[in-house]
């Protein structure tokens, strides 16, 4: 998972597409290095607005040379989340702490869940439970960085940036819940 930021002299171009999926709409955005964002929602305009707000210094463009293949892979992951997929990621931004949490999230296998407390312990910061929840909420890569696999310590849903119903559907597809 590469991370970088663009410099003002060389604006980064982020190519995106919005496609229908079992969870509504999915926006997939990428650089030539990898997928930078996967956003879920019901409205294409709102998804594009979310992308613009997340990356105000980036030039947005539709299409792109590898975007079709990567968006096909994201749709396949959404349909069959337990399948193993290797897709290159190009994380734009995020703090060191957030990137540490996102890396730990990628280590949670499909069909399993962790609590925010367990995730904080896994990254060596057991007192940072609320910060872990904040990092999950800031995750720009739905499903690819599976923040939906994190529940509260009591087993309740907790939050999900893209809605509890989507979180529940993803966990049901993975077999993590009945």
């Amino acid at each position: 998972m590469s991370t970088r930021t663009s410099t003002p002299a060389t604006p980064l171009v982020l190519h995106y597409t919005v496609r229908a999926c079992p969870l509504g709409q999915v926006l997939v955005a990428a650089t030539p290095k990898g997928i930078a964002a996967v956003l879920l929602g019901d409205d294409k305009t709102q998804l594009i607005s979310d992308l613009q707000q997340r990356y105000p210094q980036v030039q947005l463009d539709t299409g792109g040379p590898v975007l079709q293949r990567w968006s096909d892979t994201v749709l396949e992951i959404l349909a069959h989340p337990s399948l193993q997929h290797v897709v290159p990621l190009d994380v734009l931004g995020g703090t060191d702490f957030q990137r540490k949490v996102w890396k730990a999230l990628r280590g949670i296998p499909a069909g399993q869940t962790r609590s925010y407390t367990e995730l904080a312990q896994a990254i060596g910061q057991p007192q940072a439970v609320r910060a872990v929840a904040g990092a999950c909420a800031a995750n720009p890569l739905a499903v690819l960085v599976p923040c939906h696999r994190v529940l509260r310590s009591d087993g309740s849903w907790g939050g999900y940036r893209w809605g509890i119903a989507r979180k529940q559907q993803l966990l049901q597809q993975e077999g993590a819940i009945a």
Side-chain angles (χ1 to χ4, degrees):
M1 175 165 57
S2 72
T3 59
R4 64 184 163 122
T5 58
S6 63
T7 62
T10 58
L12 181 64
V13 177
L14 193 57
H15 296 273
Y16 73 91
T17 186
V18 179
R19 298 179 63 185
C21 73
L23 298 170
Q25 300 284 314
V26 61
L27 181 147
V28 179
T31 70
K33 291 186 174 189
I35 298 173
V38 175
L39 310 176
L40 299 171
D42 295 317
D43 181 80
K44 178 179 180 175
T45 304
Q46 287 180 332
L47 288 171
I48 295 167
S49 176
D50 185 5
L51 185 67
Q52 289 170 326
Q53 289 174 9
R54 285 176 184 268
Y55 307 111
Q57 302 302 322
V58 173
Q59 180 182 335
L60 299 180
D61 195 6
T62 57
V66 294
L67 193 55
Q68 180 68 40
R69 184 184 69 209
W70 288 342
S71 64
D72 286 347
T73 301
V74 169
L75 287 173
E76 188 175 329
I77 291 168
L78 287 168
H80 307 286
S82 61
L83 296 177
Q84 293 295 321
H85 292 86
V86 178
V87 291
L89 301 181
D90 190 6
V91 179
L92 306 176
T95 66
D96 289 340
F97 179 82
Q98 288 171 329
R99 288 190 301 271
K100 184 189 260 189
V101 171
W102 299 339
K103 181 178 180 184
L105 287 166
R106 293 193 76 205
I108 303 172
Q112 295 184 22
T113 60
R114 301 287 185 275
S115 70
Y116 293 103
T117 301
E118 289 170 325
L119 197 56
Q121 291 168 345
I123 64 167
Q125 296 185 278
Q127 302 303 316
V129 176
R130 285 184 185 235
V132 164
C136 289
N139 171 22
L141 289 153
V143 183
L144 300 182
V145 175
C147 57
H148 64 277
R149 295 181 185 150
V150 183
L151 305 174
R152 290 186 176 152
S153 294
D154 65 3
S156 63
W157 296 111
Y160 188 55
R161 167 71 180 83
W162 295 286
I164 295 297
R166 286 186 180 94
K167 182 174 188 170
Q168 183 178 8
Q169 186 175 346
L170 286 165
L171 290 173
Q172 284 175 331
Q173 283 179 284
E174 292 180 7
I177 61 169

